[in-house]
Amino acid sequence: MVETFDKFWSADVPLYLYAEQFVPDHGRPVVRGLPAWLSEFKARHAENRRAHGLVDGTYDYRQDCVRFAHKVAAVTEAAFGLEADVLIWADADIVTHATVTTDWLTTLFPAGPYIAWLERDRHYPECGFYMLRCTHPAHREVMTRWRKLYETDAVFGLPQTHDSYVLQQIILEAEREGLITTHSLSGEARQHRHPSINGPLGTRLDHLKGPRKEQGRSPRTDLMTPRLEEYWCENR
């Protein structure tokens, strides 16, 4: 992820990396530490099997709150701790395959909405990549609500506790209250299980979800229709 970011992303877009117990061997990212509330949360639930996704002896990622709390901690820490107009979250299995400019990023996120994310019909969003407008008047309120679910353990009152579902509930609540509006990055791919590569993001990014990390790229069978970018033509 870091190597392709360094190769293709504009130099005026800083990369912040939240690392645990390792130092990346690359000069591009600025390494930041995770906040104290995460350590406290993990300590409280160290022996809570369900909080680690173990339900009736079977692993269920939808209940693995501790695992996905790391991502929530990174996003909310950055949301409060960085001076930026727009904050972009990208999973560590995002691969960039074409030049990413600030002009292109601007086209993804029109003025007005608080979040640009990968919506999926009748499903929680794909949260491997999303954009938050930190200058939005509701920004701190939304991020505070998200963080407090973990600080108070109220997150366990939700039917699912992975980050994508929890963020969806926070955003939908704020939208119902009229605090924010949202923007979809899925394009025509809202009904697809892998909207990131089938929508506008696919022109420059690939998301190696699950076993795709072993393959090194998303297979062409993930595409709704053939893409014409060089990266995807090579994959035919």
Side-chain angles (χ1 to χ4, degrees):
M1 184 276 187
V2 173
E3 289 174 352
T4 59
F5 186 100
D6 186 47
K7 180 178 180 181
F8 288 112
W9 282 63
S10 173
D12 59 359
V13 180
L15 174 62
Y16 296 92
L17 188 148
Y18 286 81
E20 287 187 293
Q21 300 177 342
F22 79 97
V23 178
D25 56 352
H26 198 288
R28 178 72 181 259
V30 177
V31 179
R32 294 177 66 90
L34 291 165
W37 71 256
L38 176 64
S39 297
E40 296 165 2
F41 178 79
K42 291 167 67 175
R44 286 198 305 275
H45 300 287
E47 304 302 323
N48 181 349
R49 292 171 62 83
R50 187 177 183 87
H52 292 265
L54 295 174
V55 182
D56 298 327
T58 302
Y59 177 73
D60 183 351
Y61 78 89
R62 294 170 299 181
Q63 303 299 333
D64 197 344
C65 192
V66 171
R67 173 187 174 189
F68 293 105
H70 293 79
K71 184 170 172 178
V72 179
V75 176
T76 55
E77 198 283 333
F80 289 118
L82 297 174
E83 293 294 329
D85 295 330
V86 173
L87 175 66
I88 300 172
W89 169 265
D91 278 4
D93 53 6
I94 294 283
V95 172
T96 308
H97 57 80
T99 301
V100 172
T101 63
T102 51
D103 287 342
W104 179 70
L105 292 170
T106 300
T107 67
L108 297 175
F109 201 3
Y114 170 62
I115 186 171
W117 58 352
L118 291 156
E119 294 181 345
R120 294 187 290 189
D121 289 345
R122 299 181 298 278
H123 204 45
Y124 53 80
E126 180 187 300
C127 286
F129 182 101
Y130 53 87
M131 309 170 79
L132 300 173
R133 196 176 306 281
C134 301
T135 54
H136 193 285
H139 171 64
R140 296 189 68 85
E141 173 64 22
V142 173
M143 290 294 103
T144 297
R145 291 182 183 185
W146 197 13
R147 184 182 63 191
K148 280 187 174 180
L149 283 177
Y150 298 82
E151 292 176 325
T152 64
D153 291 342
V155 65
F156 294 109
L158 296 175
Q160 300 180 35
T161 58
H162 58 95
D163 65 284
S164 297
Y165 182 85
V166 179
L167 177 59
Q168 180 189 45
Q169 305 315 302
I170 291 293
I171 293 297
L172 291 178
E173 178 185 54
E175 195 172 27
R176 287 192 297 267
E177 294 174 2
L179 296 177
I180 63 169
T181 57
T182 66
H183 175 71
S184 177
L185 293 171
S186 300
E188 300 298 319
R190 292 174 58 106
Q191 296 181 347
H192 199 275
R193 66 187 184 280
H194 199 353
S196 56
I197 66 168
N198 285 289
L201 297 183
T203 61
R204 306 178 192 215
L205 306 176
D206 188 6
H207 186 189
L208 311 187
K209 301 192 298 179
R212 298 170 183 84
K213 281 182 273 296
E214 298 177 5
Q215 301 165 6
R217 64 194 303 163
S218 295
R220 65 178 181 176
T221 52
D222 280 337
L223 296 173
M224 296 169 59
T225 58
R227 300 202 68 120
L228 300 179
E229 294 83 14
E230 180 180 358
Y231 176 85
W232 299 109
C233 292
E234 292 174 352
N235 198 25
R236 289 180 179 175

